[in-house]
Amino acid sequence: MSLGLRVLMVIALSAVTVAFGVTYKRAAIAQTPEEAAVRDALLKSALSFEKNDLPMASQVWVNDESLTIFESGHANYGWADYRDHHLVPEMSEMKNTKYAFSDIKIHLAGKTAWATLKYTISADVMDNGKPRHIDGGGLGTAVLENRDGQWRIVHWHSSAPRRVPSDPAPPKN
């Protein structure tokens, strides 16, 4: 086989490999309209928290007693409990909030969806009367139901990595 023919074959094989890779990548990130709607509901939830916008949050969380929240070892049962004892107090104490989701993986089963994700948060809070900046992140799982054509979060579970003590105890002898 001549050198020119070999070069052409390598170029052709490379082009096929690149074309397959691009097609595969597009297929891997393609979303159905339902997946996009679930993603939109999750992102709207994050945006509502970032903007301290309770009416926006109420559009994507179920507003009844079926809601469950498990966060940092604490549970909230029902929208009123979550809204009044968790969401509103956090929103009111955080300023300049940035809250984002990444690595969202959505799974659909009829009118139910669940998603796993990573989250990051940063905000300014008051700590003993002094402003303090916080940065954090962790993992989350959301369960959503399609109710009357709207994807609503019915369950949320998040966790953050354990914090290393700022003053570790001296090693024991």
Side-chain angles (χ1 to χ4, degrees):
M1 185 180 304
S2 73
L3 181 60
L5 186 54
R6 283 188 198 154
V7 169
L8 284 175
M9 286 179 64
V10 168
I11 291 171
L13 184 56
S14 296
V16 167
T17 302
V18 167
F20 174 75
V22 168
T23 301
Y24 175 76
K25 187 171 183 175
R26 281 188 190 147
I29 61 173
Q31 288 186 320
T32 67
E34 291 300 303
E35 288 170 327
V38 168
R39 180 178 307 275
D40 288 347
L42 291 168
L43 295 176
K44 189 173 187 177
S45 170
L47 182 63
S48 73
F49 190 78
E50 189 173 279
K51 292 183 170 230
N52 296 327
D53 189 334
L54 190 59
M56 182 189 297
S58 70
Q59 294 173 9
V60 292
W61 293 84
V62 293
N63 299 160
D64 60 32
E65 291 305 307
S66 67
L67 178 65
T68 56
I69 308 291
F70 298 152
E71 187 174 293
S72 300
H74 183 75
N76 292 105
Y77 298 101
W79 171 247
D81 179 37
Y82 175 60
R83 178 195 63 215
D84 298 344
H85 300 113
H86 188 133
L87 192 59
V88 169
E90 277 190 353
M91 283 181 165
S92 65
E93 77 176 26
M94 294 184 178
K95 305 296 180 222
N96 303 315
T97 307
K98 299 293 178 206
Y99 188 48
F101 296 155
S102 64
D103 198 21
I104 301 171
K105 294 186 176 33
I106 297 168
H107 308 274
L108 292 165
K111 291 187 173 273
T112 303
W114 62 97
T116 57
L117 54 88
K118 294 177 182 174
Y119 71 88
T120 57
I121 186 166
S122 69
D124 297 324
V125 297
M126 293 303 284
D127 188 8
N128 293 323
K130 296 181 181 178
R132 179 174 65 97
H133 184 78
I134 59 166
D135 287 301
L139 305 172
T141 302
V143 178
L144 296 89
E145 289 179 0
N146 191 318
R147 294 189 178 183
D148 299 322
Q150 298 285 325
W151 285 101
R152 301 281 190 132
I153 302 168
V154 297
H155 177 71
W156 174 264
H157 189 169
S158 65
S159 63
R162 292 182 185 189
R163 297 184 190 270
V164 176
S166 56
D167 251 345
K172 294 181 179 181
N173 292 337

